[in-house]
Amino acid sequence: MRTILKTVGAIVLAGAALAAGHAAFALDDTARQPVVVTPIASTNLTAAGQPIMLPQKDARVIASLFEIAPGATLPVHKHPYQRYGYMLEGELLVTNVETGAKTTYRAGDFIVEMLDIWHQGVAVGPGAVRLVVIDQVEGDVQNTLLRSKTTP
């Protein structure tokens, strides 16, 4: 019973720490290393300054690991639903094709991608880009639309 109470207490402490946004604490008396929660980002806007829009029905989350070779250029594309990225390695230069605005993302950066705006990425650093991408879509919708050569 004592072990169960100790475990429940640790879970409650972990939840409280996550709710607080940043904390370091030991899970139990025997723990040697604390759990550290470090906020990475907090925003309600996309990279283009738009409000974040979430699926209204039949929500689905898709998580992927992207690996982009040095010098590789992604095709011009846009996302009809919200997409987030967390840079693990490398440098990614993203250009808003509609405005020409450019942003370089590096390891440790969190990206709230543009919503329904044509953009393009290029791996500009000496190494490969590795990033975790999380999409929030409705149903089975694809979240990346490629611009055809005839699309303005």
Side-chain angles (χ1 to χ4, degrees):
M1 182 70 167
R2 186 174 182 169
T3 302
I4 292 171
L5 290 175
K6 200 174 200 183
T7 302
V8 170
I11 291 169
V12 170
L13 281 174
L18 289 173
H22 181 80
F25 59 91
L27 287 179
D28 66 7
D29 297 337
T30 62
R32 300 279 184 240
Q33 295 295 320
V35 173
V36 178
V37 178
T38 303
I40 296 171
S42 177
T43 185
N44 59 355
L45 300 175
T46 70
Q50 306 158 292
I52 293 173
M53 301 296 290
L54 302 177
Q56 298 301 304
K57 59 182 179 178
D58 195 20
R60 185 164 59 108
V61 173
I62 305 163
S64 308
L65 176 63
F66 280 53
E67 298 185 47
I68 306 167
T73 299
L74 301 173
V76 175
H77 63 282
K78 65 180 178 178
H79 309 289
Y81 291 97
Q82 203 62 64
R83 171 174 274 191
Y84 309 96
Y86 181 73
M87 294 286 295
L88 299 171
E89 296 176 22
E91 291 182 51
L92 183 66
L93 174 66
V94 176
T95 302
N96 177 331
V97 174
E98 297 178 17
T99 66
K102 297 175 186 283
T103 305
T104 301
Y105 297 101
R106 294 176 179 84
D109 287 344
F110 184 78
I111 307 165
V112 180
E113 288 210 34
M114 300 170 216
L115 190 60
D116 210 27
I117 292 177
W118 295 113
H119 60 283
Q120 183 174 39
V122 179
V124 293
V129 168
R130 292 183 68 238
L131 70 152
V132 174
V133 172
I134 300 170
D135 290 296
Q136 291 181 295
V137 300
E138 288 185 3
D140 292 329
V141 174
Q142 292 293 322
N143 200 26
T144 300
L145 304 175
L146 301 180
R147 187 168 78 175
S148 69
K149 296 192 190 274
T150 59
T151 305

